[in-house]
Amino acid sequence: MGTLILGIESSCDDTSAAVIKDRQLLSNVVAGQDVHRKYGGVVPELASRAHQQNIVPVVDMALKKAEITKNDIDAVAFTRGPGLLGSLLVGTSFTKGFTTALDIPMIEVNHLQAHIMVHFIQSKESDSLPPRFPFLCLLVSGGHSQLVVVKDYHKMEIIGRTIDDAAGEAFDKCAKLLGLPYPGGPHVDRLAQAGDGLRFKFNKPRIGGFDYSFSGLKTSFLYFLRDHLKEDPEFVEKNRKDLAASLQYTIIDILLNKLRRAMKETGIRQVALAGGVAANSGLRKALKAEADKGNWEVFIPPLSYTTDNAAMIAITGYYRYQEGYFASDDIAPLARMYF
Ligand code: KG4
Ligand code: ZN
């Protein structure tokens, strides 16, 4: 038997559906949207349209891959927010229609909490033991950079957040200045592997507490390039790998400095990584090294669960289902959503 949850994710530019049976992932289908590439960023109107085109085929494929039919599903979990409202509306409306037709409950999920919950998925890619409560999570995505104390499956406290740009935004905006396609994070990662991260120095923020700031780094990177391009118009071409590596080194340094402080002050000994930027190979390596040094236990998610996906929505939905946290019929998505 077991509980079968269908997860739906449509908060930004990935349409995704996943099926989970208890904690075991049966399928996770993600359709990206190439339509934004030529604009150098996500165009909200185009994203909503692409979700509308993708959602039914993506759900269909997720059910097929899981080898179940819609009648086997116990509940549908969907991303209520935060995200682009038009994109969220597609997933929410689909969920309402689908659950009404089948007369099953729907479960609202916070996208950010869901990123953290990937650590509880059981699958071929992740068969290790999950973190125990409480643990600290460094949640780094395109829209958010947070330090979260995870107290249980539902109670999470944000102790630090970015006051301006997110880490993923810093990657993407600086990548654009290097002439790289959107989203630039993975391209910076690839180039950085062949570059010297200590060659160039950029400004690091000086803000108190556990909060982050990345807009100063972006400005410092912009001015640095502008000054050097005046002297040599081919500066970026000649130094792209070292620029990418130095940028990545600085972002990781900023992230880990605050994390180190948070680990010390909270006394927590387990740290988990989550969000799209958790795919960064430099960050994954640096966090493991930091954990060895600090004698912390470290939890790094499989690559396929770092960027947006519905497996994370389904696993969060599974735990909410156990508590009977069901959404009412008049639920609407939220562009900003807190926890
Ligand atoms: O979590 P996510 O898929 O979407 C949001 O909820 O924002 O994160 C997307 C972000 C983008 O900024 C993207 O550039 C970044 O994650 N990203 C990376 C890598 N893969 C994705 N950043 C650095 N290195 C990577 N390998
Ligand atoms: Zn995300």
Side-chain angles (χ1 to χ4, degrees), residues 9 11-14 82-83 111-112 115 139-144 166-173 175 181-190 193 248 251 274-284 303 305-309 312:
E9 157 63 26
S11 66
C12 190
D13 60 341
D14 291 299
H111 179 88
L112 297 173
H115 267 300
L139 171 55
V140 271
S141 74
H144 297 83
E169 253 174 307
F171 268 109
D172 296 343
K173 288 179 177 171
Y182 180 85
H187 297 281
V188 172
D189 188 351
R190 183 178 39 81
Q193 288 174 30
Q248 181 170 299
I251 294 174
V277 180
N280 185 267
S281 61
L283 177 59
R284 294 164 84 89
L303 273 181
Y305 310 149
T306 52
T307 46
D308 290 347
N309 64 85
M312 67 188 202

Side-chain angles (χ1 to χ4, degrees), residues 211-231:
D211 284 341
Y212 286 115
S213 164
F214 286 99
S215 71
L217 168 62
K218 180 192 62 193
T219 313
S220 155
F221 194 72
L222 173 71
Y223 289 165
F224 180 87
L225 292 187
R226 198 188 56 187
D227 293 347
H228 282 81
L229 282 167
K230 265 191 218 146
E231 284 160 27

Side-chain angles (χ1 to χ4, degrees), residues 111-171:
H111 179 88
L112 297 173
Q113 286 193 331
H115 267 300
I116 298 173
M117 293 295 286
V118 295
H119 290 281
F120 298 96
I121 296 172
Q122 268 176 356
S123 69
K124 277 201 285 301
E125 287 103 351
S126 61
D127 53 3
S128 49
L129 287 176
R132 299 166 308 282
F133 302 117
F135 64 90
L136 196 72
C137 185
L138 174 62
L139 171 55
V140 271
S141 74
H144 297 83
S145 299
Q146 299 176 338
L147 281 167
V148 184
V149 176
V150 185
K151 298 176 179 171
D152 70 29
Y153 300 115
H154 313 284
K155 259 194 256 128
M156 305 184 187
E157 186 193 347
I158 301 170
I159 59 167
R161 51 165 57 82
T162 181
I163 60 162
D164 40 56
D165 289 352
E169 253 174 307
F171 268 109

Side-chain angles (χ1 to χ4, degrees), residues 214-291:
F214 286 99
S215 71
L217 168 62
K218 180 192 62 193
T219 313
S220 155
F221 194 72
L222 173 71
Y223 289 165
F224 180 87
L225 292 187
R226 198 188 56 187
D227 293 347
H228 282 81
L229 282 167
K230 265 191 218 146
E231 284 160 27
D232 177 4
E234 284 171 23
F235 179 75
V236 170
E237 276 99 283
K238 286 181 189 157
N239 299 288
R240 203 176 259 121
K241 288 177 185 155
D242 289 346
L243 285 165
S246 302
L247 169 70
Q248 181 170 299
Y249 177 87
T250 311
I251 294 174
I252 294 172
D253 199 38
I254 295 170
L255 290 173
L256 293 192
N257 269 332
K258 284 286 160 90
L259 175 69
R260 213 176 287 126
R261 271 185 59 185
M263 292 296 280
K264 196 165 166 215
E265 287 187 32
T266 59
I268 293 174
R269 312 297 305 162
Q270 299 173 91
V271 60
L273 190 59
V277 180
N280 185 267
S281 61
L283 177 59
R284 294 164 84 89
K285 214 156 99 189
L287 184 59
K288 276 186 202 146
E290 193 67 42

Side-chain angles (χ1 to χ4, degrees), residues 62-74:
L63 296 181
K64 283 206 178 86
K65 282 198 170 170
E67 296 179 2
I68 62 160
T69 73
K70 57 183 185 312
N71 297 313
D72 299 322
I73 297 167
D74 291 297

